[in-house]
Amino acid sequence: MAFHSSLRNHTDRPRRQAWRHWPTVVTVVALLLIWQVWVDAAHPPVTMVSSPTQIVRSAIISWPTLWPATCMTFIEGVCGFAIACVLGVLLGIGIHCSRTAYAALFPLLTAAQTLPLISIAPLFLIWFGFEPVGKIVIVAVFAIFPIVVQTMRGLAAVPAFYDDVAMTCGASRAWTLFHVDLRVAARQIFGGVRVSAAYVFATAATAEYLGARSGLGIWLQAAYNSFQTPRIFAATFVIIIMTGLLLLAVHAVERLTIGAPADDDDPDAQ
């Protein structure tokens, strides 16, 4: 009986997850339709507001230049995000394990998040020039903080009895940290990774806008200077789509490594 109940739950779970996304799909489609109808009826200046069909048409026409710019921003965002993930988890572990590291590093990380991008980007432009490496570093700097914080919070929230059981069985402190504590804290760490992923491409494009050789930021700047509003919307939607794909990738990695959130439930609790 329990086997059939478990099998039914695993079968129904994808269906429930699919139904969970229907409100989002319906809302987005409704907003796009309202947007299109309003532009067609009100006829606002194309330099002020563009309809969804005008945006799609502009993206198709300008695709030979939009695609290379998208690739550059994508590379900068993904590289900076990968660096932030690795360093963020390592820094979070170090700050969690050492009060000295917490006192020395955490205030600096917090201060780095208070710096406006418009003030720090010129410095990176002086240091790294117009090359992509400067944008990668900027993305890493602004993406690392949520990962560090959530790693610290996740490790601090691990119940003490997990460590007690592991060390009673002969495990070392280091083994317990990397094989027990990180596994228990992984769900919260992925929460920080997801927060960072939501901003990496926008950060990369903004850094490009302030100075770069290519990328969506430069593409947006050219569109703005020539009053090409449909192109501005097209680049904006490209950033949104890339961000959504990155969030889906983070979700997939989370599912593959630690399973679905429902797998954390105690099967004996019912």
Side-chain angles (χ1 to χ4, degrees), residues 47 219-229 231:
T47 56
W219 204 84
L220 276 166
Q221 189 178 64
Y224 168 75
N225 291 337
S226 58
F227 297 96
Q228 294 288 333
T229 304
R231 292 193 175 194

Side-chain angles (χ1 to χ4, degrees), residues 8 11 20 66 101 109 116 152 159 171 183-184 200 212 215 221 261 263:
R8 192 183 308 113
T11 304
R20 194 181 305 157
L66 178 59
L109 289 170
M152 292 167 47
R183 174 59 182 85
V184 177
V200 293
Q221 189 178 64
D263 296 339

Side-chain angles (χ1 to χ4, degrees), residues 231-254:
R231 292 193 175 194
I232 296 175
F233 277 107
T236 302
F237 278 113
V238 167
I239 293 173
I240 293 173
I241 292 170
M242 287 196 301
T243 302
L245 292 175
L246 183 59
L247 288 170
L248 286 175
V250 171
H251 178 72
V253 172
E254 180 182 5

Side-chain angles (χ1 to χ4, degrees), residues 48-64:
M48 181 180 298
V49 179
S50 304
S51 68
T53 54
Q54 290 172 331
I55 296 169
V56 172
R57 191 181 306 114
S58 175
I60 294 173
I61 294 172
S62 59
W63 189 250

